[in-house]
Amino acid sequence: MNGFVLNLLLVTQMISAVAMIVLILVQHGKGADMGAAFGSGGSGSLFGASGSANFLSRTTAVLATVFFVATLALAYFGNLRPVSSGSVLEGAATSGPAAPAVPVAPAVPASGAAQIPSK
């Protein structure tokens, strides 16, 4: 169940991020409205003269909210740890000392001359 929720949140976050990128790239800048006022550009678009700005900005705001909620939920579920019966220090005290991390090298003769065979 928990894996399903994490996958669902991850897919939701990715879809909202991609949709937000597309909507931000489609929106006009503030300077584009001045060009439409003088007749260049299509002011009579699919949503009307100012309807596209309102629709796109509201949709972007909704997608940004969905993105942030999914991000917070992923952070919350990612930091959940299984509940243990004891303390971390109790587990470390019973496990004993750790083994050395570096392996011990075999003994090497004092000089290389001892390895040369004599005739």
Side-chain angles (χ1 to χ4, degrees):
M1 174 73 180
N2 196 11
F4 175 74
V5 172
L6 286 176
N7 286 337
L8 183 67
L9 282 171
L10 190 62
V11 167
T12 303
Q13 184 186 31
M14 291 172 68
I15 289 174
S16 65
V18 169
M20 243 187 346
I21 290 170
V22 169
L23 284 177
I24 289 170
L25 290 175
V26 166
Q27 291 181 18
H28 290 96
K30 290 186 179 182
D33 293 334
M34 186 177 294
F38 292 110
S40 66
S43 60
S45 63
L46 179 65
F47 301 106
S50 65
S52 65
N54 290 336
F55 174 75
L56 293 176
S57 61
R58 286 183 184 176
T59 307
T60 306
V62 169
L63 285 174
T65 304
V66 169
F67 178 80
F68 283 123
V69 168
T71 303
L72 290 174
L74 281 171
Y76 175 75
F77 285 128
N79 287 328
L80 283 181
R81 305 221 190 289
V83 178
S84 63
S85 60
S87 171
V88 174
L89 295 176
E90 290 173 3
T94 58
S95 65
V102 179
V104 178
V108 179
S111 67
Q115 297 178 355
I116 299 174
S118 60
K119 291 185 178 184

